[in-house]
Amino acid sequence: MHDLHAHLLHPKWYPPRFIDALLRDFARRQQAAGNPKPLPVSRQLLRMMADDDGATTIAMMDRAGIEKRAILVLDWSVELGAAPSTIGDIHRDILGVCARYPDRLVGFAGVDPRRTDAVEIVQWACDELGARGLKLHPTSGWTLNDQRTYEVVSVAAERNLPTLVHVGKTVDVLSDANARPAPFLELAATFPESTFIAGHSGFDLWEYFVLHAEMVPPNVFFDISGWQERVRGDGQNVVDDLRRLSSAFPGRICFGTDSPFYSFNLLLAEQRWIERVEPVLRGEWVRFDDLFQHRGGVAELQPC
Amino acid sequence: MLSERDLIRGALRDFIITQTDLPDSPLVSGDADLFALGVMDSFMTVSVVAFCEERFGGELPMVELGPENFRSLDALTELVARHQSRGVEK
């Protein structure tokens, strides 16, 4: 399997407000999953999720049968206050890990377009650090149809690199107001020669894409990371939704985990997610090469 | 006289029963499959790790947090026994 949506987590790369929100989100999901007496687990949870050298991630991928994984940089320092590391160091660290595992990890740059040097950061990440895509997380005070966003996306587009956009819900200190399907589709239509991926397929907003399929340009793909949280009961609801999404957009569905945010780096969670969804589209899941070959893009995935 | 492993197993059983509101009987057997019982998921795994490290000390290595070590009370007991840094209070 190719996992088109995952991250590395370490507290030095994220604002403390995000880490606090992450822990609150865990407690919320734990209760939603039916645990009536959640324990304080912050210390252990952060230790389990933290991986700043890729060793835990690669070991997990080996055991779970994940051949390649996209590692997406996230930049919330503008919105939530500074992370301990600068955005330059975050890219250097995370893309550096990807460079140590060139056959397994594919790094994506990530910036808040409100940074005055956002374009330069993405150029540097792509040209010097080996980023092979761009991640946008429009859950802060900027929009997908902002001129600054277009300028950042242009950097990826000029290099035939895909742009993955978070679509749908987020943690409580951020907002999904600017992360809806419609502005995402407008952005993708603005760059028809570039590949775009709807992160999480919008979570519970996924059906918007199916119901408005005529508005979805052919350069749009979908990843199902985070759908672990949408599982109800025996999970047939997710299987049914995945079949509908795939029927509407055959050959354009990407497997994703959003690890470690849903797996906590636990093999059990990774294995169960793969076992649940892999058979639904067996042999039809998008692979990295599909993204890079799309519409005349670069023919070959270069090591990151 | 209960052994250290018996005490660990008992503490784990009490914790899981308290967390899940399951009746005691299915868990009495140390080799009962916790996955088949629907007891163990990723959230419960995190809780068990937190409980074990607070109660028994030590740190459970990530590489040992695989399903094989969380499948039964016996397997969990062995995992904790390998890494605990302090004895169990009777």
Side-chain angles (χ1 to χ4, degrees):
Chain A
M1 291 289 276
H2 284 192
D3 177 359
L4 273 293
H5 191 142
H7 306 272
L8 293 178
L9 183 123
H10 193 282
K12 65 187 173 185
W13 297 326
Y14 297 84
R17 282 184 68 198
F18 172 75
I19 296 294
D20 291 343
L22 185 66
L23 296 172
R24 283 196 299 277
D25 196 55
F26 174 84
R28 178 190 62 77
R29 282 191 271 153
Q30 192 178 27
Q31 286 190 302
N35 187 331
K37 306 177 185 83
L39 284 183
V41 298
S42 302
R43 184 172 61 82
Q44 287 84 7
L45 183 62
L46 283 180
R47 176 174 64 80
M48 292 165 68
M49 294 173 76
D51 179 14
D52 66 352
D53 63 7
T56 298
T57 293
I58 293 295
M60 193 61 54
M61 290 168 62
D62 286 343
R63 296 188 68 188
I66 295 173
E67 189 182 345
K68 282 186 178 179
R69 169 172 276 180
I71 300 295
L72 316 176
V73 172
L74 297 168
D75 175 18
W76 283 313
S77 291
V78 177
E79 183 71 14
L80 299 178
S85 297
T86 66
I87 190 64
D89 284 342
I90 293 169
H91 277 85
R92 196 178 284 110
D93 288 353
I94 293 176
L95 296 176
V97 171
C98 294
R100 288 200 287 279
Y101 301 97
D103 298 329
R104 309 297 301 282
L105 303 180
V106 181
F108 278 44
V111 292
D112 185 323
R114 291 175 296 179
R115 289 184 181 274
T116 56
D117 56 352
V119 166
E120 289 76 15
I121 290 170
V122 177
Q123 287 172 335
W124 170 67
C126 293
D127 298 341
E128 304 294 328
L129 302 180
R132 303 306 299 158
L134 171 66
K135 167 67 183 287
L136 293 177
H137 211 288
T139 50
S140 305
W142 56 275
T143 66
L144 289 172
N145 54 14
D146 187 308
Q147 181 59 34
R148 295 170 296 186
T149 305
Y150 291 161
E151 290 172 5
V152 169
V153 171
S154 292
V155 177
E158 289 162 2
R159 290 159 176 76
N160 290 317
L161 299 178
T163 296
L164 192 155
V165 180
H166 173 98
V167 182
K169 70 179 196 67
T170 185
V171 292
D172 59 14
V173 290
L174 298 167
S175 166
D176 63 0
N178 297 325
R180 305 285 169 80
F184 164 74
L185 292 176
E186 288 175 25
L187 177 68
T190 304
F191 294 87
E193 298 301 319
S194 294
T195 297
F196 287 82
I197 304 164
H200 318 290
S201 302
F203 289 106
D204 284 343
L205 303 178
W206 68 274
E207 204 169 19
Y208 179 95
F209 295 108
V210 175
L211 297 176
H212 300 82
E214 75 286 354
M215 294 169 54
V216 178
N219 57 329
V220 167
F221 290 71
F222 301 87
D223 87 57
I224 62 158
S225 66
W227 279 32
Q228 298 95 315
E229 190 179 341
R230 300 188 62 251
V231 170
R232 299 289 177 268
D234 64 1
Q236 189 59 41
N237 65 312
V238 162
V239 171
D240 293 343
D241 292 351
L242 181 53
R243 287 199 173 113
R244 277 190 66 202
L245 187 65
S246 177
S247 293
F249 307 106
R252 294 155 72 178
I253 312 300
C254 311
F255 173 73
T257 60
D258 206 10
S259 290
F261 297 128
Y262 288 88
S263 69
F264 325 122
N265 282 333
L266 289 171
L267 179 62
L268 171 68
E270 302 269 6
Q271 283 179 329
R272 284 193 170 173
W273 183 230
I274 291 174
E275 288 168 3
R276 190 181 299 280
V277 298
E278 192 277 335
V280 181
L281 299 184
R282 182 163 288 150
E284 297 174 28
W285 293 102
V286 169
R287 296 171 66 83
F288 276 101
D289 289 351
D290 300 327
L291 296 178
F292 289 86
Q293 289 171 351
H294 174 72
R295 294 176 68 85
V298 292
E300 186 178 355
L301 175 62
Q302 301 298 318
C304 85
Chain B
M1 182 73 177
L2 293 174
S3 69
E4 184 78 2
R5 278 176 166 67
D6 291 333
L7 293 168
I8 293 172
R9 188 180 295 105
L12 285 167
R13 183 176 57 230
D14 291 347
F15 172 74
I16 290 172
I17 289 171
T18 302
Q19 283 289 300
T20 59
D21 286 335
L22 272 185
D24 186 18
S25 52
L27 287 166
V28 170
S29 166
D31 61 357
D33 190 327
L34 299 178
F35 298 126
L37 287 170
V39 167
M40 198 62 69
D41 60 13
S42 53
F43 292 108
M44 190 63 182
T45 303
V46 175
S47 294
V48 167
V49 170
F51 169 75
C52 291
E53 293 186 356
E54 295 297 327
R55 179 73 181 269
F56 308 118
E59 198 169 89
L60 302 179
M62 281 304 295
V63 293
E64 296 199 42
L65 302 186
E68 65 279 5
N69 287 328
F70 285 78
R71 185 166 299 283
S72 67
L73 272 177
D74 286 347
L76 259 172
T77 299
E78 290 305 311
L79 174 69
V80 171
R82 284 197 298 275
H83 298 286
Q84 69 179 120
S85 64
R86 58 176 175 262
V88 183
E89 294 176 10
K90 299 180 183 177

